[in-house]
Each structure stands twice: as structure tokens, then as C-alpha cells.
Amino acid sequence: MKRRVVVFISGNGSNLQAILDACANGTLDANVVGVVSNRRKAFGLVRAERAGVETLYFPLGPFKKRGASRAEYDAALAEAIARFQADAVVLAGWMHILSPTFLEAVPCPVLNLHPALPGAFPGTHAIERALAAAQAGEIDHTGVMVHHVVPEVDAGPVVATQVVPIQPNDTLEALAARMHATEHNLLVHAVGKTLSTLASPPPPSETP
Ligand code: GAR
């Protein structure tokens, strides 16, 4: 039985595409059964539709407008994805911090991809900040990580990491391209690793 993966995106969705491709070519023994975006114009939604995957656009705006808290949004989001019966939720470029309310309500691993090594450059623009640190002579490498989500931003038990060297004359475009290529491989590896640790599903019940 194939595992069921739900991917959360906010933008381009190139990492979603890597997961979709890995499911299609058998690298991952899983199906993406839902793609959630908090941004209507996220290109990842187009990628999902092209792959025939159900999408859910779930913006924070209407909640804010009626004075609801982020915890209420997160609780509603957890409820909205329950129908997907996910074995794993993967945040792949999802730019919204999920509260403990969400994490407590979702009964499967929730993974996050971040373009930096554990403890370095949490938050947005991690690649830009790593390049600036390299140009200031502070570091000569950055990296990519996939970790279990905890309430702290871009932190939590690490599933996989990979170092990406920063070259002396790197441009942002060149470094970002190497980072994204690294992410695509590492994320597929980390999702597969996480799914392989799940308890086997119960065998189908026999008819008497
Ligand atoms: C990726 O680089 C991912 O690591 C980053 O957003 C990008 C999404 O790209 N996530 C974060 O910065 C999370 N803090 P994609 O939409 O092409 O997959």
C-alpha cells in the first residue's frame, strides 16, 4: 500500500515537483494525495493540478479579517487536511509558521525543508544571508536540512542534512541553483526515510 503524502507550499513548488517526480518514477513508494497553499498564485498549485493532485487553497487573510487567531487558523487547517489521511505532511517552501495547535492536531510526522544547516539562518532569505556571511569571510559553506517541525522556526529533530560549499565568487543565482538542486534530492531522501520508519499499516481484514 502506497504511503500518502500531503505537501504544503507557498510559492514555486520546485520541491513539490521533486516529490511528485519521485512518486511517479518509483523512487518514493508514495502518492502525493493533497497539496495545500496559503497563496493563491503559488505556481506549485499549477504543478499539483498538472499532476492530477487535489489542491487546497487555505489563506490566513479571511481568518485575520474576522479577528480569528493564528491558532484558530492552524486548528482549521489541521481539520481541513484530515480528509487526506496523510502518513506525512511535508512543508516544502511553506511560508507560515505553524503553531503547536496544528502540530498537536495532526497525527503524522510533519517535516520541513530549510535552505540552511541546523541552527544557522532560520527564517526567510537564508540563502542570501549565507552568501553575505561568506562574502564577509565568516563561513565557506552552507547547506540544506530536513527536520521534524517543532514550534520553533526552522528547528527540530533533523532527518537529513547536506553541506553546500560556497565558492569565492559565487553569485546569488549560482548558489541558489546549487542549493535548490541539493534540496530536491535531499527532500526526496528524507521523505522516503521518514516513511520507512512508520509502523506498517494493519493487514486488510479477512472476510469470514
Ligand atoms: C526552498 O528553498 C525552501 O528550502 C525554502 O523555500 C524554498 C521553496 O522553493 N523554505 C524556507 O525558506 C523555509 N524556511 P520551491 O517553492 O521551489 O520548492
Side-chain angles (χ1 to χ4, degrees), residues 103-176:
L103 299 172
E104 283 158 20
V106 172
C108 69
V110 181
L111 302 179
N112 180 49
L113 168 70
H114 185 61
L117 292 172
F121 310 114
T124 56
H125 306 296
I127 303 175
E128 286 91 328
R129 287 185 287 142
L131 183 60
Q135 287 166 345
E138 293 161 12
I139 56 172
D140 63 3
H141 67 275
T142 179
V144 172
M145 71 166 160
V146 178
H147 61 92
H148 288 272
V149 175
V150 295
E152 291 73 40
V153 178
D154 297 321
V158 171
V159 179
T161 63
Q162 191 166 335
V163 167
V164 176
I166 301 177
Q167 309 300 343
N169 293 319
D170 248 339
T171 60
L172 179 58
E173 291 69 29
L175 177 59

Side-chain angles (χ1 to χ4, degrees), residues 49-72:
E49 279 155 19
R50 282 181 187 160
V53 175
E54 195 180 331
T55 59
L56 173 65
Y57 168 54
F58 205 85
L60 177 62
F63 285 79
K64 272 176 143 176
K65 231 179 235 170
R66 61 172 187 266
S69 67
R70 285 178 77 101
E72 284 171 285

Side-chain angles (χ1 to χ4, degrees), residues 11-16 92-93 95 112-115 123 154 180 183:
N12 178 27
S14 68
N15 286 282
L16 162 66
M95 297 308 198
N112 180 49
L113 168 70
H114 185 61
D154 297 321
H180 292 313
E183 288 185 323

